[in-house]
Amino acid sequence: MYNGKRNALARRGFTLIEIMVAVVIIGIMSSVVAYNLLGNIDKTKVTKAKTDMVTFSQALMMYNIDNNVYPSTEQGLNALIEKPTSDPVPTAWQPGGYLKVAEIPKDPWETSYIYRSPGDNGEDFVIISFGKDKKEGGEDYNADIKSTELK
């Protein structure tokens, strides 16, 4: 009787082949999931950059409403959190600033946003992120993201 229990317990385990097959299947599934997630990371970063630009644009419009002028290119986006002292000095700068952050965030690729006023094509201002490649131009996720092209 004892030998019967022992043989039953011995037959319950997995063979080396079964374990290897399970590990290979888990590896394949992990690769598929990782591939799908990595593709979405780039898409998410583009969306984050666009969201930041909308936030900056709204704050810049409030700045303009208060001061009748947009910050200069030299003053940059920092004018939204710290009162500029160079021309054009704002006349009715909002105490506490126009963004509730300690410093202007970088784009999702850890590069500073570029701000120009007036914009490149005569707009009041433009905010630019060079995208994943951190260089001007590019396509897909390497393409520049401009506030003037947001829909």
Side-chain angles (χ1 to χ4, degrees), residues 65-130:
I65 288 169
D66 287 350
N67 300 289
N68 298 314
V69 66
Y70 286 99
S72 67
T73 300
E74 293 74 27
Q75 291 168 331
L77 294 172
N78 242 17
L80 299 174
I81 58 172
E82 193 175 295
K83 184 177 180 181
T85 55
S86 61
D87 285 332
V89 176
T91 55
W93 194 80
Q94 182 177 332
Y98 297 86
L99 291 174
K100 304 305 176 203
V101 294
E103 62 184 48
I104 299 296
K106 294 188 180 294
D107 73 9
W109 299 278
E110 294 300 314
T111 305
S112 296
Y113 286 100
I114 296 164
Y115 169 79
R116 295 184 190 133
S117 179
D120 299 334
N121 297 313
E123 310 92 353
D124 292 324
F125 62 86
V126 64
I127 304 163
I128 303 167
S129 168
F130 286 144

Side-chain angles (χ1 to χ4, degrees), residues 48-63:
K48 168 77 169 90
K50 289 178 179 180
T51 302
D52 285 351
M53 288 181 186
V54 169
T55 301
F56 296 149
S57 296
Q58 291 170 343
L60 287 162
M61 287 182 222
M62 291 303 299
Y63 182 102

